[in-house]
C-alpha cells in the first residue's frame, strides 16, 4: 500500500516516500507533538493477511524497541493504520554502508571506526538477548556526521537466557521461524544459519566478520554465481587473503577477521564486547593513544589493558598539558601509569569548559565524559559533551535552554530540563526526547539502574519518578509538614538502584539536609545537616564508599555504608571554595561538584557573582555605582525616586528586602523574618511595599508599611508559590505569578476592593511571567515561552483576545515608560531595547532599537523579574550589573580522589 503525502497516521503526517524493501515501505513523516521529522515503516496492505510476515514485522518493532544504544536505530512508536502495522523511528540522514562501499574498500582508519561502533551496538543488543540475524552492509546506516546505526531487526530473535542476577529482564520468547528455515542474506549468513540450525549471538559475530572483510577489501568474503554457490562457500571455503587487496591490513587485524568467520561458533569470539576490545587494542597499537579508547583505559586505571602496548606519550596527557599546563606529562606518566601492581595515585589537573559553564561539569558514571551547560553570548544555554580522550567538546544540537544535566547509568544518555520538559538525548548526539512535564524551576534529576528517573517539577515539590522511556510521573517522596519541609531536590541514586540520596529544604534548619529515600516510598531517613546536595562515591579499595557533601563552600567526604545506609568515622576535607548557588527563595542547594562511579571527581571553585547598582543614560553612559558590590536582586525605585527596594542575602542563607535612601546612601534592612523575602515593589503612593515570603512554607504575598514600622500582613494564602509583579496605577490591583504544578507559571490578579477574590489573568500550558501594568491600566506587558523561547507580549486588561508580540529574537523583563508611549525590555544577549508603542484604544508597536548593552546576570523565566528599573521619563535606568565574572575559570578534575583516605 502506497501512502500518499499529507496522509495522517495516528498523530503523524506523511511527507514523502523514502524507499521500499521486502518488509515494507519507509516514509518521511512529521511528528507535530514533538516538532520533529521521523521515519515510518509500513507493512504493505496486501501482506497484512500473511500472518508470518505480520508476526515478523511485530517482532522487528518489539525487539528493536527494547534496545537503547547510539549505534542502533531508535524506535519511537508502533501502531496500525487501516489494518496495516507501522513502526515509527528516528529519521536518519546519510546513506547505507552498502551504498558507501559500492565495491570499494574504505580507508583503514574509517573501517575500524565503523567496526567499533557496530560491535558496540551488537554488544548492547546481545546483552538484551536480541540477535540481529541479518547483519549486512545494507542494514548498517552511516549518518552525515559519520555515526553508525544498525537497522532492521526484522529477523531478530530473543534468545532464551538463564535466570540469574544481572541478566536481562526481558521475558523469554520463542523465535518466529520454523525449525530448519533458512533466514538471512546469502553472503553474510553464518554456517549455522545456512544449515537452518538454532543460532545465538555468535551468528552475528560471523556476519560482522564478513562485513568488516568487505569494508577492508571492497569485496565480499563469500561469493558465488548463484545463491546456492554462495551458501556453499560459507560452509566450505575460506575467503581470499585480504592483504592481497589491502596491504595496510596488519596480521593482527587479519586474525580478528578470521576468528569472526570461523565455521564453528565455539571458535569465534565469545562476545561482541570481546571483539570490540580486540579491535580497540589493535587500533591503539597503531598510534600512541590516538583513539578515545586508549585515553579512556588510561584514565579509568585499567592497567592490565595497557601491558604490551607501544611506548610513547599517552594521548590524554598531551591534551591535559595543552589545556592547563598544571603537570608535566612525565610526572603524570610516572605517577599514574607506572602502577600496574597497585591502586593508581591521585592526579589533579584543570579542564577548561567550552565556554561559560557556571555549574561546572557533570561526570559520566564511567568517568570518561563530562557534560557542561554552556551559556553563549546571547544568554542561551545548551549542552556540550567532552570526552577525556578528545581535545574538543561537542555541542549537542536541540538542547537549547538546557539545565541541570544527569547521566544514564551506562553513560550513553544525558537527562536534562528544557522547555518545561524533562528530556533525554544520546551523548553522541541525535534528537532529544521529551519524557515528562517539568517546569523551568526543576531542581535536578537522577537516572537509576532499573530504568527509573527521579526528578522535581519545580522548586517547591517532592520527588517524582518516571520510566526512562517517558510516561506519567508519580510521586515517590512526600513533604513532611512536621519537619516544615518545603521541597525535595537533587536526587542521586545509590549503587543498588533502589535507594537514593536527596536534599530536603525546610524552614526548620535542624531538619534541613541530606536524606535517603527509596523507590518503594516511605519516610526519608535523615543522614546529616548540610547546606547543599550530596553524592555517593565508591571506595578505591573495592568495598564501601563515601558520602560527598558540603559545609558552606567546603566539600567533605565521610565513610558511608550504602547497604546499611549508615555513616561512620569522621569527614575529611576534599576541596575548599567549591561554588554553591543561592536562589529566588533562598539557596538552591546546588554545589558545583560531580563524582563518577569509578572514583573520579570534578569540581568548580568560585563564588556567586557580585553585582552593583548604577544609573545609566540612554546611551549607556554612567556616573558610577551607587552601592558597594554585593548580592542585589530586583531593584524597585519608589515613585518619588527617594528610595530603592531590593533583595539581598540576609546573612542566614536566606534573602531579605533592603532599602536604600538615595540622598544619604544609607542601606537598611526592611524584613527581619528568618524566612526568605523576595520580589519587592512599592505601592503607587509609596506607603507600602509588597513582597513574597516563605515564612508559611511556600512563597506567599505580603505587604508592610514602607517606613519599616509595623508587621507584615498576609495578602494571599495559596497552595502554590506566588510572586509579586506589579500594582496598577490606580492602586486597585496587584498582578502576581503563581507556580502551578500543571500549567507552570501563570499570571493572576488580586483586587484591593470588594471581597478581594483573586482571579486568573493568563493561565495556559506555557509560562507567563514578569508582568507589568501599562500606566493607563489598559494593557499588561509580560513574558511567555509559547513560541519556544521567551518573548515579550502585550495583552489587553482585562483580556479581550487582542495580543501583540513586542520583542524580536527573544526578550525578557518588560517595563513601560511613564507616559505609556515606550516599552523597554532586555534581549537575550542582555541589550536594553526600546520600542515605541501607541497607547490607547488602538494599540500599536514599532521596531525595537538597541539603547546599550548591560552586564546583568542571566535573564530567563525563572530568574529575577527585573535587573533594571526605568525612571518615568525613560531617560535614566538603574541597572544591576555584574561586577566581574568570577566563574570564568577551569574546573578541577581529580582522578582516584579517595586513594589517600584511610581504608
Amino acid at each position: 500500500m502506497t501512502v500518499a503525502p499529507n496522509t495522517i497516521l495516528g498523530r503523524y503526517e506523511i511527507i514523502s516516500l523514502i524507499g521500499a524493501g521486502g518488509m515494507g515501505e519507509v516514509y518521511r513523516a512529521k511528528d507535530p507533538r514533538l516538532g520533529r521529522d521521523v521515519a515510518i515503516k509500513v507493512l504493505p496492505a496486501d501482506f497484512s493477511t500473511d500472518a508470518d510476515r505480520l508476526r515478523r514485522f511485530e517482532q522487528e518493532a518489539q525487539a528493536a524497541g527494547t534496545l537503547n544504544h547510539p549505534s542502533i536505530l531508535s524506535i519511537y512508536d508502533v501502531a496500525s493504520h487501516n489494518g496495516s502495522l507501522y513502526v515509527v523511528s528516528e529519521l536518519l540522514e546519510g546513506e547505507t554502508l552498502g551504498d558507501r562501499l559500492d565495491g570499494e574498500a574504505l580507508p583503514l582508519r574509517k573501517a575500524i571506526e565503523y567496526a567499533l561502533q557496530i560491535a558496540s551496538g551488537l554488544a548492547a543488543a546481545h546483552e538484551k538477548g536480541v540477535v540481529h540475524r541479518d547483519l549486512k552492509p545494507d542494514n548498517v546506516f552511516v549518518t552525515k556526521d559519520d555515526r553508525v546505526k544498525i537497522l532492521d531487526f526484522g529477523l531478530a530473535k530473543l534468545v532464551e537466557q538463564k535466570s540469574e542476577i544481572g541478566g536481562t529482564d526481558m521475558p523469554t520468547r520463542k523465535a518466529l521461524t520454523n525449525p530448519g528455515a533458512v533466514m538471512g542474506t546469502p553472503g553474510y549468513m553464518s554456517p549455522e544459519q545456512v544449515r537452518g540450525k538454532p543460532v545465538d549471538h555468535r551468528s552475528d559475530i560471523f556476519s560482522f566478520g564478513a562485513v568488516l572483510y568487505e569494508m577492508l577489501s571492497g569485496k565480499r568474503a563469500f561469493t558465488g554465481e548463484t545463491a546456492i554457490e554462495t551458501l556453499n562457500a560459507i560452509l566450505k571455503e575460506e575467503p581470499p587473503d585480504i592483504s592481497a587487496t589491502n596491504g595496510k591490513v596488519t596480521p593482527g587485524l587479519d586474525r580478528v577477521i578470521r576468528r569472526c568467520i570461523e565455521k564453528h561458533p565455539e571458535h569465534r569470539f565469545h562476545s561482541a564486547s570481546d571483539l570490540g576490545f580486540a579491535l580497540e587494542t589493535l587500533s591503539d597499537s597503531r598510534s600512541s593513544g590516538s583513539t578515545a579508547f586508549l585515553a579512556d583505559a588510561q584514565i579509568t586505571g585499567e592497567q592490565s589493558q595497557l601491558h604490551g602496548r607501544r611506548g610513547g606519550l599517552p594521548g590524554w596527557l598531551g591534551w591535559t598539558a595543552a589545556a592547563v599546563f598544571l603537570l608535566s606529562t612525565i610526572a603524570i606518566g610516572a605517577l599514574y601509569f607506572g602502577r600496574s601492581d597497585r591502586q593508581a595515585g591521585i592526579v589533579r589537573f584543570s579542564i577548561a569548559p567550552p565556554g561559560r559553564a557556571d555549574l561546572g561539569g557533570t561526570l559520566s558514571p564511567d568517568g570518561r565524559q563530562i557534560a557542561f551547560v554552556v551559556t553563549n553570548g546571547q544568554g542561551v544555554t545548551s549542552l556540550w559533551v567532552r570526552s577525556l580522550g578528545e581535545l574538543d567538546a561537542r555541542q549537542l544540537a536541540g538542547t537549547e535552554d538546557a539545565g541541570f544535566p544527569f547521566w544514564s547509568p551506562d553513560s550513553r544518555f544525558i537527562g536534562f530540563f528544557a522547555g518545561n520538559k524533562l528530556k533525554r538525548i544520546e551523548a553522541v548526539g541525535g534528537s532529544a526526547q521529551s519524557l515528562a512535564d517539568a517546569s523551568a524551576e526543576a531542581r535536578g534529576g537522577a537516572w537509576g539502574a532499573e530504568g527509573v528517573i527521579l526528578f522535581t517539577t519545580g522548586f517547591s515539590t517532592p520527588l517524582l519518578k518516571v520510566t526512562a522511556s517517558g510516561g506519567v510521573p508519580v510521586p515517590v517522596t512526600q513533604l513532611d509538614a512536621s519537619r516544615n519541609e518545603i521541597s525535595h531536590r537533587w536526587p542521586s541514586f545509590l549503587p543498588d538502584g533502589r535507594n537514593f540520596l536527596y536534599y530536603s529544604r525546610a524552614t526548620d534548619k535542624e531538619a534541613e539536609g541530606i536524606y535517603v529515600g527509596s523507590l518503594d516510598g516511605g519516610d526519608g531517613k535523615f543522614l546529616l545537616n548540610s547546606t547543599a546536595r550530596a553524592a555517593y562515591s565508591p571506595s578505591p579499595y573495592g568495598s564501601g564508599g563515601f558520602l560527598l557533601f558540603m559545609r558552606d563552600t567546603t566539600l567533605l567526604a565521610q565513610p558511608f555504608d550504602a547497604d546499611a545506609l549508615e555513616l561512620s568515622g569522621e569527614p575529611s576535607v576534599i576541596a575548599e571554595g567549591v561554588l554553591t548557588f543561592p536562589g529566588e527563595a533562598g539557596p538552591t542547594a546546588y554545589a558545583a561538584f560531580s563524582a563518577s562511579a569509578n572514583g573520579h571527581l570534578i569540581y568548580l571553585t568560585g563564588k556567586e557573582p557580585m553585582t552593583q547598582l548604577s544609573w545609566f543614560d540612554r546611551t549607556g553612559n554612567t556616573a558610577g555605582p551607587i552601592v558597594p558590590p554585593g548580592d542585589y536582586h530586583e531593584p524597585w525605585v519608589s515613585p518619588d525616586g527617594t528610595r530603592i527596594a531590593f533583595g539581598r542575602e540576609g546573612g542566614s542563607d536566606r534573602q531579605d528586602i533592603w532599602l536604600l535612601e538615595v540622598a544619604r546612601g544609607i542601606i537598611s534592612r526592611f524584613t527581619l523574618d528568618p524566612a526568605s523575602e523576595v520580589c519587592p515593589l512599592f505601592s503607587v503612593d509609596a506607603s507600602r511595599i509588597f513582597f513574597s515570603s516563605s515564612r508559611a512554607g511556600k512563597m506567599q504575598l505580603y505587604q508592610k508599611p514602607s517606613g519599616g514600622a509595623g508587621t507584615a500582613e498576609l495578602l494571599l494564602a495559596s497552595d502554590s508559590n506566588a510572586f509579586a509583579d506589579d500594582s496598577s496605577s490606580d492602586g486597585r490591583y496587584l498582578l502576581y505569578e503563581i507556580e502551578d504544578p500543571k500549567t507552570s507559571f501563570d499570571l493572576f490578579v488580586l483586587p484591593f476592593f470588594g471581597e478581594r477574590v483573586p482571579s486568573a489573568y493568563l493561565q495556559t500550558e506555557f509560562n507567563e511571567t514578569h508582568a507589568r501594568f501599562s500606566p493607563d491600566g489598559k494593557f499588561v506587558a509580560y513574558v511567555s515561552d509559547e513560541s519556544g523561547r521567551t518573548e515579550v507580549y502585550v495583552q489587553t486588561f482585562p483580556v479581550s483576545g487582542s495580543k501583540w508580540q513586542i520583542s524580536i529574537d527573544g526578550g525578557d523583563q518588560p517595563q513601560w515608560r511613564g507616559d505609556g508611549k515606550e516599552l523597554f525590555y532586555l534581549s537575550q544577549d542582555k541589550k536594553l531595547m526600546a520600542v515605541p508603542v501607541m497607547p490607547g484604544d488602538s494599540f500599536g508597536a514599532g521596531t525595537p532599537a538597541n539603547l546599550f548593552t548591560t552586564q546583568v546576570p542571566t535573564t530567563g523565566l525563572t530568574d529575577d523579574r527585573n535587573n533594571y528599573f526605568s525612571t518615568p521619563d525613560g531617560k535614566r535606568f538603574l541597572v544591576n550589573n555584574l561586577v566581574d565574572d568570577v566563574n570564568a575559570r577551569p574546573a578541577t578534575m581529580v582522578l582516584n580522589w579517595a586513594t589517600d583516605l584511610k581504608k
Side-chain angles (χ1 to χ4, degrees):
M1 177 188 70
T2 298
V3 183
N6 301 321
T7 300
I8 303 299
L9 272 65
R11 74 170 190 258
Y12 309 100
E13 180 181 355
I14 296 297
I15 298 175
S16 62
L17 178 67
I18 296 176
M23 287 297 290
E25 296 173 332
V26 182
Y27 296 86
R28 187 187 193 101
K30 183 74 174 180
D31 181 351
R33 182 181 300 174
L34 299 179
R36 64 183 175 188
D37 286 354
V38 297
I40 293 183
K41 186 172 186 178
V42 182
L43 186 68
D46 55 348
F47 290 161
S48 296
T49 56
D50 188 329
D52 182 59
R53 281 184 180 272
L54 204 59
R55 286 194 299 270
R56 285 167 57 197
F57 190 77
E58 289 177 317
Q59 188 171 4
E60 171 186 357
Q62 293 167 359
T66 65
L67 306 178
N68 212 339
H69 189 273
S71 296
I72 298 176
L73 181 74
S74 295
I75 301 298
Y76 299 144
D77 197 4
V78 181
S80 62
H81 176 73
N82 293 337
S84 296
L85 284 174
Y86 64 87
V87 172
V88 184
S89 69
E90 63 179 313
L91 181 67
L92 303 177
E93 301 288 346
E95 61 184 344
T96 67
L97 179 59
D99 292 335
R100 175 71 64 89
L101 291 171
D102 194 25
E104 298 290 337
L106 296 178
L108 179 61
R109 189 181 188 88
K110 187 63 64 178
I112 294 179
E113 178 184 330
Y114 292 168
L116 285 169
Q117 294 182 59
I118 297 170
S120 179
L122 288 177
H126 295 166
E127 287 176 4
K128 286 288 189 179
V130 180
V131 180
H132 191 286
R133 297 179 50 153
D134 195 22
L135 186 66
K136 58 186 177 182
D138 287 341
N139 278 338
V140 176
F141 198 90
V142 182
T143 65
K144 289 183 177 180
D145 56 355
D146 257 3
R147 291 183 295 117
V148 166
K149 295 278 187 177
I150 304 174
L151 313 177
D152 197 357
F153 277 80
L155 300 177
K157 172 189 175 182
L158 294 179
V159 178
E160 182 174 349
Q161 296 190 353
K162 296 179 181 179
S163 176
E164 59 184 6
I165 297 175
T168 179
D169 58 358
M170 292 177 52
T172 301
R173 296 191 296 158
K174 293 182 179 180
L176 298 177
T177 18
N178 294 326
V182 177
M183 302 189 69
T185 301
Y188 305 96
M189 297 167 61
S190 66
E192 55 268 34
Q193 277 183 291
V194 173
R195 294 188 173 99
K197 292 184 176 181
V199 302
D200 58 19
H201 62 279
R202 294 171 295 182
S203 179
D204 283 348
I205 291 176
F206 183 96
S207 301
F208 172 92
V211 172
L212 180 55
Y213 182 98
E214 188 170 345
M215 284 195 289
L216 292 170
S217 68
K219 300 180 183 299
R220 289 192 178 187
F222 304 98
T223 60
E225 294 185 2
T226 66
I228 296 298
E229 292 179 355
T230 300
L231 297 178
N232 283 331
I234 290 173
L235 293 174
K236 302 176 181 179
E237 298 177 9
E238 296 292 336
D241 189 349
I242 198 170
S243 62
T245 55
N246 192 338
K248 295 182 178 180
V249 174
T250 64
L253 181 55
D254 182 69
R255 285 194 295 271
V256 169
I257 297 172
R258 297 290 173 179
R259 187 174 176 186
C260 287
I261 58 176
E262 286 283 352
K263 306 300 183 186
H264 299 286
E266 60 270 20
H267 295 162
R268 299 173 202 149
F269 286 99
H270 294 299
S271 70
S273 296
D274 291 345
L275 167 60
F277 175 71
L279 287 170
E280 288 167 338
T281 304
L282 288 171
S283 176
D284 293 340
S285 68
R286 295 183 57 84
S287 59
S288 301
S290 62
T291 66
F293 173 80
L294 179 59
D296 291 344
Q298 291 167 333
I299 284 185
T300 54
E302 297 167 2
Q303 303 295 332
S304 62
Q305 299 176 5
L306 300 180
H307 291 179
R309 296 181 180 174
R310 283 188 194 172
L313 186 64
W316 82 274
L317 295 182
W319 166 77
T320 302
V324 293
F325 301 98
L326 286 182
L327 300 169
S328 73
T329 56
I330 295 176
I332 296 178
L335 174 65
Y336 189 73
F337 299 111
R339 302 187 176 202
S340 59
D341 59 342
R342 63 187 186 275
Q343 173 68 38
I346 294 177
V347 177
R348 292 183 176 88
F349 55 92
S350 293
I351 291 184
R356 183 185 174 93
D358 288 344
L359 301 180
T362 304
L363 270 175
S364 60
D366 62 10
R368 301 180 179 185
Q369 301 177 86
I370 307 171
F372 295 99
V373 176
V374 176
T375 304
N376 64 16
Q378 288 72 47
V380 180
T381 61
S382 61
L383 291 182
W384 291 65
V385 175
R386 182 170 186 172
S387 168
L388 293 183
E390 297 175 354
L391 289 172
D392 299 316
R394 297 174 288 104
Q395 184 178 17
L396 299 184
T399 61
E400 291 76 16
D401 296 321
F404 300 126
F406 55 95
W407 289 86
S408 62
D410 58 7
S411 302
R412 295 170 181 169
F413 294 86
I414 301 174
F416 63 99
F417 301 91
N420 300 320
K421 298 287 184 181
L422 168 67
K423 298 184 177 183
R424 77 175 195 180
I425 191 171
E426 294 180 13
V428 296
S431 300
Q433 177 186 352
S434 294
L435 304 178
D437 292 333
S439 79
E441 294 286 0
R443 291 291 182 261
W447 196 321
E450 296 187 359
V452 174
I453 291 178
L454 294 173
F455 70 106
T456 64
T457 58
F459 64 71
S460 60
T461 67
L463 295 175
L464 291 84
K465 64 181 179 181
V466 68
T467 65
S469 58
V472 178
V474 296
V476 71
T477 64
Q478 293 183 340
L479 299 180
D480 190 336
S482 67
R483 293 197 290 247
N484 296 314
E485 292 182 326
I486 56 179
S487 81
H488 294 160
R489 53 183 64 185
W490 312 127
S492 176
F493 273 102
L494 293 172
D496 62 5
R498 299 292 300 174
N499 293 309
F500 54 88
L501 304 168
Y502 66 93
Y503 184 85
S504 172
R505 281 203 59 215
T507 56
D508 180 356
K509 296 293 291 182
E510 293 184 358
E512 190 169 63
I514 308 303
Y515 288 75
V516 176
S518 169
L519 291 180
D520 299 323
D523 294 335
K525 177 181 179 179
F526 177 77
L527 288 181
L528 51 79
N529 292 116
S530 176
T531 54
R533 68 185 187 89
Y536 176 83
S537 184
S539 167
Y541 304 104
S543 63
F546 296 92
L547 186 74
L548 291 165
F549 64 97
M550 300 295 300
R551 286 276 189 263
D552 296 321
T553 61
T554 300
L555 178 62
L556 300 162
Q558 186 169 350
F560 179 66
D561 187 330
D563 295 323
L565 306 179
E566 296 288 347
L567 289 163
S568 62
E570 296 296 326
S572 301
V573 174
I574 304 302
E576 300 276 5
V578 175
L579 183 64
T580 57
F581 295 86
E584 309 81 357
T588 65
Y590 184 84
F593 74 90
S594 174
S596 68
N598 59 350
H600 303 329
L601 174 70
I602 189 171
Y603 62 88
L604 183 67
T605 58
K607 58 184 179 180
E608 183 69 9
M610 303 180 76
T611 61
Q612 277 185 306
L613 299 173
S614 304
W615 285 104
F616 291 80
D617 63 19
R618 290 178 71 96
T619 64
N621 293 321
T622 181
I626 61 174
V627 291
D631 178 31
Y632 303 102
H633 297 271
E634 302 182 305
W636 194 287
V637 182
S638 64
D640 59 8
T642 61
R643 291 178 293 173
I644 301 173
F646 52 82
R648 188 182 185 187
E649 185 176 324
S652 58
D653 292 331
R654 294 296 187 268
Q655 192 178 130
D656 285 295
I657 308 301
W658 296 68
L659 288 176
L660 168 66
E661 291 186 46
V662 175
R664 297 194 299 163
I666 296 176
I667 298 176
S668 60
R669 187 168 172 173
F670 180 71
T671 58
L672 302 174
D673 194 274
S676 280
E677 277 84 26
V678 299
C679 300
L681 62 97
F682 282 94
S683 62
V684 176
D685 61 3
S687 64
R688 295 167 293 166
I689 292 179
F690 305 112
F691 60 92
S692 298
S693 174
S694 64
R695 62 186 67 184
K698 293 184 179 294
M699 301 300 293
Q700 307 288 294
L701 298 180
Y702 289 80
Q703 66 175 3
K704 182 180 178 180
S706 62
T711 59
E713 173 191 353
L714 177 66
L715 287 176
L716 177 68
S718 171
D719 292 333
S720 301
N721 289 304
F723 301 93
D725 271 356
D726 195 13
S727 62
S728 59
S729 58
D730 59 9
R732 292 170 58 84
Y733 300 99
L734 181 67
L735 190 60
Y736 64 96
E737 303 170 16
I738 282 285
E739 184 196 17
D740 189 282
K742 296 181 179 179
T743 58
S744 298
F745 280 90
D746 302 304
L747 296 177
F748 276 67
V749 175
L750 176 67
F752 287 124
F753 57 87
E755 297 182 0
R756 297 193 175 190
V757 178
S759 61
Y761 172 64
L762 288 175
Q763 188 174 30
T764 73
E765 60 183 303
F766 307 105
N767 285 292
E768 294 88 23
T769 61
H770 302 175
R772 291 294 186 92
F773 279 113
S774 63
D776 61 9
K778 295 182 179 180
F779 302 95
V780 170
Y782 66 98
V783 176
S784 172
D785 60 358
E786 63 186 73
S787 68
R789 63 183 174 194
T790 58
E791 299 281 7
V792 175
Y793 298 86
V794 167
Q795 171 78 60
T796 56
F797 181 81
V799 174
S800 66
S802 299
K803 182 176 68 174
W804 300 266
Q805 181 175 330
I806 303 301
S807 60
I808 298 175
D809 295 330
D812 191 19
Q813 303 184 15
Q815 293 188 32
W816 299 83
R817 198 169 75 189
D819 59 6
K821 294 183 179 181
E822 197 171 29
L823 258 173
F824 308 106
Y825 70 89
L826 288 174
S827 66
Q828 285 192 334
D829 55 357
K830 303 182 183 180
K831 290 183 174 66
L832 183 60
M833 311 296 291
V835 183
V837 295
M838 181 186 299
D841 296 333
S842 179
F843 185 86
T847 303
N850 174 26
L851 297 183
F852 60 90
T853 300
T854 72
Q855 298 297 324
V856 299
T858 302
T859 63
L861 284 169
T862 63
D863 294 299
D864 290 349
R865 83 207 140 124
N866 57 285
N867 280 305
Y868 73 99
F869 197 92
S870 170
T871 57
D873 59 8
K875 294 182 178 181
R876 291 201 308 155
F877 302 90
L878 182 68
V879 183
N880 187 34
N881 275 332
L882 288 166
V883 176
D884 55 17
D885 195 358
V886 296
N887 299 322
R889 63 185 64 187
T892 299
M893 182 79 179
V894 187
L895 307 181
N896 303 308
W897 67 268
T899 299
D900 291 346
L901 296 184
K902 293 181 180 180
K903 296 183 181 180

